[in-house]
């Protein structure tokens, strides 16, 4: 499977580079005859867009998009691949030193130099850049609307920034808010304020801070998706989620240390068999069991920091100190919330269409 | 991708059921002309085999296998699919109640009933059974030998049982033992004794205990495997690792809370550029960066426990109490060590052949 | 995609060698809860089995099979991979000279030597042998039964042996016989007798003869399967059909030289829109249009002939004469009829389940 | 596999509609660090471009393209997906009646209506349009340059228009011309003139004419590509070739009726073992055997003709007569020559990179 493609039946192919002309995506397998709510697509994308908030990079991209194919003249999806183009308008290539010569610690540079024999476009991280998640969110926003036709909802929040935790929703009957553009996506607003201060402190220190996103999927029926072994829903979701830049861990449910505590007993609720607890995260034997699916995605701190860092000049083969300028998120976690929802929606739509 | 297949170029297809005639696997894409060390294959499989040790199920299977295809008359791999058959010889179906009627908490039963419309073979967990990992280990043992031809080694140990931790190897220059059949795969033998006692305590309480496996891959070169976004090595490995029964989480490296701590600075070592630390787990931008790759796989406690558990009788639609007999591992972690190595070897061989 | 795997959702993996212990297959994705008519499976396989008829090889294999997995204890398909083992019982390896040294004209030997570096098992053609079509027919027979649940039937006949043609069914309302074990699968019995004489003449001359199979699929609805460009039904079927040994051409419908003749006009039949002719072979724009799908598969003459043939001794690098013994079909076409049906059924089931 | 994607390692995803804003493609897996000869890419595309010649549609598209991603700032391929955008500039939607109501005989309309529930964009054939082959040729032109790095050349010519045949190259030592933009791609210029007259006659009759393309691949080594059964080179190529609109048949080599004639004997040529004839078309056992690979692709006559045709009005459910205007190729075969080369180059590059 190529690097920029995800899914089988609903397949999304990303393209673009941070400082190239554009990013975008091609979506194959989206059902024909759908009427898309484009306002909601734009609102979803705005949740990820940079330059909007105090806590994100100052690069400003409106993420307006052009639709190149996939719609009939009446505006319905028509069975052709849906193709979207997002022009890059605020790339400052001058901000970047020659990273193929002095690789940034914590970035792809060093590994990419070897993989591509030095030929890759390192400006702004090239095709490794999180800039491509703009196209991911666009595709994900369409899938969110498709999933709703099946009664399935995806909602994420910040689980953690540094060591500051958000509240944990009840995994049996979660009440999740849906976040508007501009909102800081936490359940407990007080904890959200602390997180913002933590992010600001990192920024002022020329540093960055790690964190985690927790994501819920509501509305999956018992036996609806997943399967044993390599068909497991965990593996399917994880493969997609690790495609998000900076993700280093994925954990499903909240495993308890003893089987007697971890096993979710069955009971009758309104006459129907259901589990009384949900430590398994809605997945047993790789299959959705009808409980809310939830998982936690952990993200590393942004590797781009403004403190001086030690690296090696690959031309002179001498150790040297790297000083990065440019506009960087001191914490990718808030913007990773819609990206996590988008990728989750893509993976589930692929299993359902 | 079907449930029982993993890999593209090196593709393994598992088959079998716990209480059917056999389990086994078909391996496609293994290079022709290889001479296999079958003694080492058997030794690898013995590390997983049940009934050998105090800490595992008392089901006894020698896991002897018959080779159905893939070898020339001189014993070399010949380009045909390698097919192996492992007969089931010690299945006690009488041990199992009708699990399609009273689903076991924490098991696939309830979800599988819906997925298969009640038609699945629930005896011993059917095709969800970890019994199929015998075939996975066989395939993995062949891949371990193939990887050695590229200078790549895979080695795992128990990271944790309950809250008892093994030592953590140095992630820059790890010294990993290789475990013989019958050995308890820990680095710190004292901690290993505590783990065994913890497992025994769980068994005596009719309970089970969770844990984690840490796995290292040595010998991958910078840029050798992986890619950006959905081609990332993390996603590739995670997709395979979540195929192991009971795995609920996968974490790469050991992320530090601040970028200034987490970024691995580059330096010269013996004149060559290399990272001074390895918090990224040997993977940056989804690509191997030449440092040891390592990750931690967390496993839930065995759902099969002998304590009475609450469930619902799906025929009478009444709540009832389930009492399981049968022979169960009180902790899957020790046997998950070779399975983790096997699956890791499969995934890497797929990227390299 | 590995060599021995076909299909995505319904995936069949073949294994085995002509002179190894066994051939067989693993079928993933076959629906659970099906009751299989095993007598019909055996009857289907008998149509392909060797040694039954004057016109086929004298190798005798009963093609009895053992089911290794995939059935519940009540005999229903259970969601586990269906795995079947067919032992080789009548392989005469002594019949074969060292074909890696003196490659047979028209056979895979020369190319296989290079591909596998000389390591392949050339006895009986190894894993190139049509012996593996026994397992294909087994899998196909199961798919034939699954397709019937959707009202879809697959039926083929011999279109041609040498220059002797069978009758051509009406492509709009074809009346196809279904062939019993032992029957020579032609529509016009007189032409069938001529074909048998042609095959016998080739045999007596130590030679072989080419031919073609025509296959019909009835019951596909307009728009049901296929798609534009690379999702086309023609490409999907062709990819599978070229997997049959000796197939060198695939042709859909019966194209007419002018558009005014070739375009199938629409009319009303019993009040429903339908095409008046069927030159397109039931496929337009890559999609089933509701008319019978039909295509012709052309097969080369068996390369194994008993006349002396010129080859090169790859060890001495001298030209030499090869004299083959062994038991060979002088014409593969009659046995290719059920194999074509089987492969067609596999490909269609993959599109429908 | 989605409809608009071809290839595994070198994967091309097409997008666009005939009367939408644009067509284009995303190419994943093209090696990094390549310098592309864009003049040759444009020249290749010009061979397919419409409106250039007397024998093709009068729709005029310059097929100029914009590169959206995949190049470094120095113009080398950089490992990012290569994305190309070709704007549609000369689409006359007014030319088309409502084809979802009165489906055109021989076109996808009727089947597409069912597949997409009436939602597809029928203007100009929508995403079924051969307009998307502009993007295929662009991708193919890049692959032609990549194959040359391996010493592999692809060259096709018109084999047949109606019943007028071009000369057949010697399949052992073919001497193929390479065709410039504007040239009529035949070997025998006299036959080419007859073909042009045949095409012109069809146009004047408001009709269209069928034909065939023969394609050669030179430079493949014995054992280099392909494999047994479903890994066969025939199936791989056929799957891609049937993706070309109007292709209804693919035939490899030139099968002879008897094995003694069809088997290609081996001999020594300049001290090396090689085949004396090439009836197998360079492929044995699904594997390249070192001889030129060649095959013939047959194409139906363009279904768009200006003669009145019978169809059904799907709204009133009455038979009616359809009169098409618009600009149509009376014969797709000349422009199918570069498209066949392009698709062949794509499929081979996928096997080689």
């Amino acid at each position: 499977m190529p690097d920029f493609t995800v899914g089988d039946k609903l397949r999304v192919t990303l393209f673009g580079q941070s400082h190239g002309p554009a990013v975008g995506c091609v979506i194959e397998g989206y059902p024909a005859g759908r009427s898309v709510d484009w306002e909601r697509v734009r609102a979803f994308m705005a949740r990820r867009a940079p330059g909007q908030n105090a806590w994100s990079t100052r690069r400003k991209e409106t993420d307006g998009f052009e639709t190149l194919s996939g719609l009939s003249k009446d505006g319905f999806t028509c069975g052709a691949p849906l193709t979207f183009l997002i022009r890059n308008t605020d790339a400052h290539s001058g901000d970047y030193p020659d990273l193929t010569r002095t690789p940034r610690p914590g970035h792809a540079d060093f590994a990419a130099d070897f993989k591509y024999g030095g030929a890759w476009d390192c400006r702004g991280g090239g095709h490794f850049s999180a800039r491509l998640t703009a196209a991911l969110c666009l595709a994900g926003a369409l899938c969110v609307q498709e999933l709703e036709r099946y009664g399935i909802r995806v909602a994420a929040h910040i689980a953690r920034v540094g060591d500051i935790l958000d509240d944990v929703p009840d995994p049996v009957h979660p009440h999740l808010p849906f976040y508007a553009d501009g909102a800081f996506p936490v359940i407990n607003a007080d904890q959200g304020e602390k997180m913002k201060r933590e992010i600001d402190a990192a920024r002022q220190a020329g540093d960055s801070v790690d964190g985690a996103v927790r994501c819920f999927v509501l509305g999956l029926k018992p036996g609806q998706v997943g399967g044993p072994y390599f068909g497991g829903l965990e593996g399917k979701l994880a493969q997609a989620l690790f495609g998000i830049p900076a993700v280093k861990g994925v954990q499903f449910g909240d495993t308890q240390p003893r089987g007697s505590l971890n096993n979710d007993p069955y009971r009758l609720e309104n006459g129907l068999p259901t589990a009384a607890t949900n430590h398994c995260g809605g997945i047993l034997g790789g299959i959705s069991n009808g409980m809310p699916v939830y998982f936690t995605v952990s993200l590393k701190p942004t590797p781009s920091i403004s403190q001086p860092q030690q690296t090696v000049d690959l031309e002179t083969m001498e150790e040297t100190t790297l000083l990065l300028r440019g506009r960087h998120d001191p914490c990718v976690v808030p913007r990773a919330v819609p990206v996590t929802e988008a990728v989750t929606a893509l993976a589930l739509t692929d299993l359902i269409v």
Side-chain angles (χ1 to χ4, degrees), chain A residues 53-55 158-167 179 182-202 209 331 334:
Chain A
N53 312 301
W55 61 84
I158 301 177
R160 177 175 66 78
V161 166
D163 57 4
I164 304 164
L165 304 176
D166 194 9
D167 293 350
Y179 300 104
F184 194 78
V186 286
I187 294 168
N188 182 321
D190 292 341
Q191 293 302 94
E193 289 308 309
K194 287 185 203 160
M195 290 176 187
K196 288 184 198 173
R197 285 195 294 271
E198 176 77 7
I199 294 171
D200 204 52
V209 60
C331 183

Short mmCIF file of all heavy atoms in Angstrom, two decimals, chain A residues 53-55 158-167 179 182-202 209 331 334:
data_model
loop_
_atom_site.label_atom_id
_atom_site.label_comp_id
_atom_site.label_asym_id
_atom_site.label_seq_id
_atom_site.Cartn_x
_atom_site.Cartn_y
_atom_site.Cartn_z
N ASN A 53 -5.90 30.47 16.33
CA ASN A 53 -6.00 30.50 17.77
C ASN A 53 -4.64 30.77 18.38
O ASN A 53 -3.60 30.57 17.76
CB ASN A 53 -6.47 29.13 18.28
CG ASN A 53 -7.67 28.66 17.50
OD1 ASN A 53 -8.68 29.33 17.47
ND2 ASN A 53 -7.53 27.53 16.83
N ALA A 54 -4.68 31.19 19.62
CA ALA A 54 -3.45 31.51 20.34
C ALA A 54 -2.53 30.29 20.43
O ALA A 54 -1.32 30.42 20.51
CB ALA A 54 -3.79 32.02 21.73
N TRP A 55 -3.14 29.08 20.44
CA TRP A 55 -2.32 27.91 20.75
C TRP A 55 -1.74 27.21 19.52
O TRP A 55 -1.14 26.16 19.64
CB TRP A 55 -3.11 26.92 21.61
CG TRP A 55 -4.34 26.40 20.92
CD1 TRP A 55 -4.40 25.37 20.04
CD2 TRP A 55 -5.65 26.91 21.03
NE1 TRP A 55 -5.68 25.20 19.60
CE2 TRP A 55 -6.48 26.14 20.20
CE3 TRP A 55 -6.23 27.96 21.77
CZ2 TRP A 55 -7.84 26.38 20.07
CZ3 TRP A 55 -7.59 28.17 21.64
CH2 TRP A 55 -8.37 27.40 20.80
N ILE A 158 -9.47 16.51 23.83
CA ILE A 158 -8.11 16.44 24.36
C ILE A 158 -8.15 15.62 25.64
O ILE A 158 -8.86 15.98 26.59
CB ILE A 158 -7.56 17.85 24.66
CG1 ILE A 158 -7.56 18.71 23.40
CG2 ILE A 158 -6.17 17.75 25.26
CD1 ILE A 158 -7.09 20.15 23.65
N ALA A 159 -7.42 14.54 25.69
CA ALA A 159 -7.38 13.74 26.91
C ALA A 159 -6.33 14.26 27.87
O ALA A 159 -6.47 14.17 29.09
CB ALA A 159 -7.07 12.28 26.58
N ARG A 160 -5.26 14.84 27.29
CA ARG A 160 -4.12 15.23 28.12
C ARG A 160 -3.24 16.20 27.35
O ARG A 160 -3.05 16.04 26.14
CB ARG A 160 -3.31 13.96 28.47
CG ARG A 160 -2.05 14.20 29.28
CD ARG A 160 -1.37 12.89 29.68
NE ARG A 160 -0.86 12.13 28.55
CZ ARG A 160 0.28 12.41 27.88
NH1 ARG A 160 1.01 13.44 28.25
NH2 ARG A 160 0.66 11.67 26.86
N VAL A 161 -2.73 17.21 28.06
CA VAL A 161 -1.63 18.04 27.56
C VAL A 161 -0.57 18.03 28.64
O VAL A 161 -0.86 18.41 29.79
CB VAL A 161 -2.09 19.48 27.26
CG1 VAL A 161 -0.87 20.40 27.07
CG2 VAL A 161 -2.97 19.53 26.03
N GLY A 162 0.62 17.58 28.30
CA GLY A 162 1.63 17.40 29.34
C GLY A 162 1.08 16.46 30.40
O GLY A 162 0.69 15.34 30.09
N ASP A 163 0.99 16.92 31.67
CA ASP A 163 0.41 16.04 32.69
C ASP A 163 -0.95 16.55 33.17
O ASP A 163 -1.43 16.14 34.22
CB ASP A 163 1.37 15.84 33.87
CG ASP A 163 1.78 17.17 34.51
OD1 ASP A 163 1.26 18.22 34.08
OD2 ASP A 163 2.62 17.15 35.41
N ILE A 164 -1.56 17.41 32.38
CA ILE A 164 -2.89 17.92 32.74
C ILE A 164 -3.95 17.11 32.01
O ILE A 164 -3.95 17.02 30.77
CB ILE A 164 -3.01 19.41 32.37
CG1 ILE A 164 -1.89 20.18 33.08
CG2 ILE A 164 -4.38 19.96 32.75
CD1 ILE A 164 -1.66 21.55 32.51
N LEU A 165 -4.87 16.54 32.78
CA LEU A 165 -5.85 15.60 32.23
C LEU A 165 -7.22 16.25 32.10
O LEU A 165 -7.64 17.01 32.97
CB LEU A 165 -5.97 14.37 33.13
CG LEU A 165 -4.68 13.62 33.42
CD1 LEU A 165 -4.96 12.48 34.41
CD2 LEU A 165 -4.09 13.08 32.14
N ASP A 166 -7.92 15.91 31.05
CA ASP A 166 -9.33 16.27 30.94
C ASP A 166 -10.15 15.22 31.69
O ASP A 166 -9.64 14.16 32.08
CB ASP A 166 -9.74 16.33 29.46
CG ASP A 166 -11.08 17.02 29.24
OD1 ASP A 166 -11.62 17.61 30.20
OD2 ASP A 166 -11.60 16.97 28.10
N ASP A 167 -11.41 15.50 31.92
CA ASP A 167 -12.31 14.50 32.50
C ASP A 167 -12.44 13.31 31.55
O ASP A 167 -12.27 13.45 30.33
CB ASP A 167 -13.70 15.10 32.74
CG ASP A 167 -13.67 16.17 33.82
OD1 ASP A 167 -12.63 16.30 34.51
OD2 ASP A 167 -14.69 16.88 33.97
N TYR A 179 -17.64 20.12 19.13
CA TYR A 179 -16.87 21.35 19.26
C TYR A 179 -17.01 22.22 18.04
O TYR A 179 -16.86 21.78 16.91
CB TYR A 179 -15.41 21.01 19.52
CG TYR A 179 -15.28 20.22 20.79
CD1 TYR A 179 -15.05 18.86 20.75
CD2 TYR A 179 -15.46 20.83 22.03
CE1 TYR A 179 -14.96 18.12 21.92
CE2 TYR A 179 -15.39 20.10 23.20
CZ TYR A 179 -15.14 18.75 23.14
OH TYR A 179 -15.08 18.03 24.28
N GLY A 182 -12.99 27.15 16.74
CA GLY A 182 -12.50 28.13 17.70
C GLY A 182 -12.56 27.67 19.13
O GLY A 182 -11.89 28.22 20.00
N ALA A 183 -13.36 26.65 19.42
CA ALA A 183 -13.45 26.15 20.78
C ALA A 183 -12.24 25.28 21.09
O ALA A 183 -11.69 24.63 20.21
CB ALA A 183 -14.73 25.35 20.96
N PHE A 184 -11.85 25.29 22.36
CA PHE A 184 -10.77 24.42 22.80
C PHE A 184 -11.41 23.11 23.23
O PHE A 184 -12.21 23.09 24.18
CB PHE A 184 -10.03 25.10 23.97
CG PHE A 184 -8.72 24.48 24.32
CD1 PHE A 184 -7.59 24.74 23.55
CD2 PHE A 184 -8.61 23.65 25.42
CE1 PHE A 184 -6.37 24.18 23.89
CE2 PHE A 184 -7.39 23.08 25.75
CZ PHE A 184 -6.27 23.34 24.99
N PRO A 185 -11.11 22.02 22.55
CA PRO A 185 -11.95 20.82 22.68
C PRO A 185 -11.67 19.99 23.93
O PRO A 185 -11.04 18.94 23.87
CB PRO A 185 -11.62 20.05 21.39
CG PRO A 185 -10.24 20.47 21.01
CD PRO A 185 -10.08 21.88 21.51
N VAL A 186 -12.16 20.49 25.04
CA VAL A 186 -12.09 19.74 26.30
C VAL A 186 -13.48 19.64 26.91
O VAL A 186 -14.37 20.43 26.58
CB VAL A 186 -11.14 20.41 27.33
CG1 VAL A 186 -9.69 20.20 26.94
CG2 VAL A 186 -11.48 21.88 27.49
N ILE A 187 -13.64 18.71 27.81
CA ILE A 187 -14.90 18.54 28.52
C ILE A 187 -14.93 19.46 29.74
O ILE A 187 -15.91 20.12 29.99
CB ILE A 187 -15.06 17.05 28.92
CG1 ILE A 187 -15.22 16.21 27.65
CG2 ILE A 187 -16.24 16.87 29.87
CD1 ILE A 187 -15.11 14.74 27.88
N ASN A 188 -13.83 19.49 30.44
CA ASN A 188 -13.72 20.30 31.66
C ASN A 188 -13.00 21.60 31.32
O ASN A 188 -11.78 21.61 31.09
CB ASN A 188 -12.96 19.50 32.72
CG ASN A 188 -12.85 20.25 34.03
OD1 ASN A 188 -12.66 21.47 34.05
ND2 ASN A 188 -12.99 19.51 35.13
N ALA A 189 -13.75 22.69 31.29
CA ALA A 189 -13.19 23.96 30.83
C ALA A 189 -12.05 24.44 31.72
O ALA A 189 -11.09 25.06 31.25
CB ALA A 189 -14.29 25.02 30.77
N ASP A 190 -12.13 24.13 33.03
CA ASP A 190 -11.05 24.55 33.93
C ASP A 190 -9.75 23.85 33.56
O ASP A 190 -8.68 24.46 33.51
CB ASP A 190 -11.41 24.21 35.38
CG ASP A 190 -12.57 25.07 35.88
OD1 ASP A 190 -12.83 26.13 35.26
OD2 ASP A 190 -13.20 24.67 36.88
N GLN A 191 -9.86 22.58 33.29
CA GLN A 191 -8.66 21.85 32.87
C GLN A 191 -8.17 22.40 31.54
O GLN A 191 -6.97 22.46 31.29
CB GLN A 191 -8.96 20.35 32.75
CG GLN A 191 -9.26 19.66 34.07
CD GLN A 191 -8.12 19.80 35.05
OE1 GLN A 191 -8.11 20.72 35.89
NE2 GLN A 191 -7.15 18.91 34.94
N GLY A 192 -9.09 22.78 30.68
CA GLY A 192 -8.72 23.38 29.41
C GLY A 192 -7.89 24.64 29.59
O GLY A 192 -6.90 24.87 28.89
N GLU A 193 -8.28 25.46 30.57
CA GLU A 193 -7.50 26.67 30.83
C GLU A 193 -6.08 26.32 31.26
O GLU A 193 -5.10 26.94 30.84
CB GLU A 193 -8.19 27.54 31.89
CG GLU A 193 -9.47 28.20 31.38
CD GLU A 193 -9.26 28.97 30.09
OE1 GLU A 193 -8.32 29.79 30.02
OE2 GLU A 193 -10.00 28.70 29.10
N LYS A 194 -5.99 25.30 32.11
CA LYS A 194 -4.65 24.88 32.56
C LYS A 194 -3.82 24.38 31.38
O LYS A 194 -2.63 24.64 31.28
CB LYS A 194 -4.78 23.76 33.60
CG LYS A 194 -5.26 24.25 34.96
CD LYS A 194 -5.24 23.10 35.97
CE LYS A 194 -6.21 23.37 37.13
NZ LYS A 194 -6.58 22.14 37.85
N MET A 195 -4.48 23.67 30.49
CA MET A 195 -3.76 23.18 29.32
C MET A 195 -3.24 24.33 28.47
O MET A 195 -2.10 24.33 28.02
CB MET A 195 -4.68 22.29 28.47
CG MET A 195 -5.04 20.95 29.09
SD MET A 195 -6.23 20.07 28.03
CE MET A 195 -6.64 18.66 29.06
N LYS A 196 -4.08 25.31 28.26
CA LYS A 196 -3.65 26.46 27.46
C LYS A 196 -2.44 27.14 28.09
O LYS A 196 -1.52 27.56 27.40
CB LYS A 196 -4.80 27.47 27.33
CG LYS A 196 -5.93 27.02 26.41
CD LYS A 196 -6.96 28.14 26.28
CE LYS A 196 -8.29 27.61 25.76
NZ LYS A 196 -9.35 28.65 25.80
N ARG A 197 -2.49 27.25 29.43
CA ARG A 197 -1.35 27.87 30.11
C ARG A 197 -0.09 27.01 29.94
O ARG A 197 1.00 27.53 29.74
CB ARG A 197 -1.67 28.08 31.59
CG ARG A 197 -2.62 29.26 31.82
CD ARG A 197 -2.65 29.71 33.28
NE ARG A 197 -3.22 28.70 34.18
CZ ARG A 197 -4.53 28.60 34.47
NH1 ARG A 197 -5.41 29.43 33.93
NH2 ARG A 197 -4.94 27.68 35.29
N GLU A 198 -0.27 25.70 29.97
CA GLU A 198 0.86 24.80 29.79
C GLU A 198 1.46 24.97 28.39
O GLU A 198 2.67 25.01 28.20
CB GLU A 198 0.40 23.34 29.99
CG GLU A 198 1.45 22.28 29.73
CD GLU A 198 2.45 22.16 30.87
OE1 GLU A 198 2.25 22.80 31.92
OE2 GLU A 198 3.44 21.43 30.68
N ILE A 199 0.56 25.08 27.40
CA ILE A 199 1.02 25.27 26.02
C ILE A 199 1.74 26.61 25.88
O ILE A 199 2.81 26.71 25.27
CB ILE A 199 -0.18 25.19 25.04
CG1 ILE A 199 -0.77 23.78 25.05
CG2 ILE A 199 0.25 25.59 23.63
CD1 ILE A 199 -2.09 23.65 24.29
N ASP A 200 1.18 27.62 26.52
CA ASP A 200 1.79 28.94 26.43
C ASP A 200 3.15 28.95 27.12
O ASP A 200 4.11 29.58 26.63
CB ASP A 200 0.86 29.99 27.04
CG ASP A 200 1.14 31.37 26.48
OD1 ASP A 200 1.16 31.49 25.22
OD2 ASP A 200 1.38 32.29 27.26
N ALA A 201 3.23 28.25 28.22
CA ALA A 201 4.51 28.17 28.93
C ALA A 201 5.56 27.49 28.04
O ALA A 201 6.72 27.92 28.00
CB ALA A 201 4.34 27.40 30.24
N ALA A 202 5.16 26.44 27.36
CA ALA A 202 6.09 25.76 26.46
C ALA A 202 6.53 26.71 25.36
O ALA A 202 7.73 26.80 25.04
CB ALA A 202 5.44 24.50 25.87
N VAL A 209 5.08 20.71 23.92
CA VAL A 209 4.57 19.81 24.96
C VAL A 209 3.73 18.70 24.31
O VAL A 209 3.09 18.92 23.29
CB VAL A 209 3.77 20.62 26.02
CG1 VAL A 209 2.59 21.36 25.40
CG2 VAL A 209 3.31 19.75 27.18
N CYS A 331 2.13 22.82 20.56
CA CYS A 331 1.43 21.60 20.95
C CYS A 331 0.48 21.21 19.82
O CYS A 331 -0.41 21.99 19.46
CB CYS A 331 0.65 21.81 22.25
SG CYS A 331 -0.17 20.33 22.84
N PRO A 334 -4.37 20.06 20.28
CA PRO A 334 -5.70 20.62 19.97
C PRO A 334 -6.11 20.41 18.51
O PRO A 334 -7.24 20.01 18.22
CB PRO A 334 -5.54 22.11 20.30
CG PRO A 334 -4.45 22.16 21.32
CD PRO A 334 -3.49 21.06 20.92
#
